[in-house]
Amino acid sequence: MSKTLLQVFDAKEENRLMRFFRRRLGNRDDAADALQETLVRALEVSHATLIENPQAYLFQIAKSVAHVTVKRQSRERPLFAPPEAGLAVPCDQPDPERIVAGRQHLILMARSIEALPKRCQQVFVLSRLHGHSNGEIAARLDISRNMVEKHIIKALLHCRQVRAQIKM
């Protein structure tokens, strides 16, 4: 992340972004995921990039993330309709080849998470698998919220790389 973007991102800015995402996405969990994705994208900005207005740039990234998330939600919404919507028809079983491929991908992803540094792994598991908030994780592991966010971002970037390799 360029230094100016990092300097702009503080607790006040995090709260503004969370409010922005909650309004756009209507869901606290989706908003938290979108905030993490915004940070990941901001980290990927080259240090050589000159940004005249870092706050505006950060919100432009957030708008882009929100737009992609809303599009994804609209595509996925019909897939997750509640049973009372009359869609309580059991789905077909996936074929054995797909089951094996899915298990192999899951094993690769689990191994990649195990390869993370211990503290990074702990934070990621508490966040993504157990659903703890960043504040809860920080208190539980006696580290700052900022470090929690850095560990999560590092793990997400690592998982993104592994996922890209799996899709090849």
Side-chain angles (χ1 to χ4, degrees), residues 19-68:
R19 285 193 308 272
F20 168 80
F21 284 126
R22 278 193 210 131
R23 278 193 312 271
R24 293 272 175 115
L25 306 176
N27 178 323
R28 182 180 172 96
D29 292 334
D30 288 341
D33 288 344
L35 178 65
Q36 291 293 330
E37 179 64 24
T38 300
L39 291 176
V40 168
R41 289 187 185 188
L43 277 173
E44 292 173 344
V45 174
S46 170
H47 291 287
T49 305
L50 177 63
I51 301 172
E52 291 183 25
N53 188 342
Q55 186 177 23
Y57 191 84
L58 192 60
F59 267 88
Q60 191 60 39
I61 293 172
K63 281 176 56 177
S64 174
V65 169
H67 177 73
V68 169

Side-chain angles (χ1 to χ4, degrees), residues 126-144:
L126 287 171
S127 173
R128 295 300 190 226
L129 298 181
H130 298 289
H132 294 291
S133 71
N134 291 358
E136 292 170 338
I137 296 169
R140 184 173 182 169
L141 299 178
D142 196 30
I143 59 176
S144 70

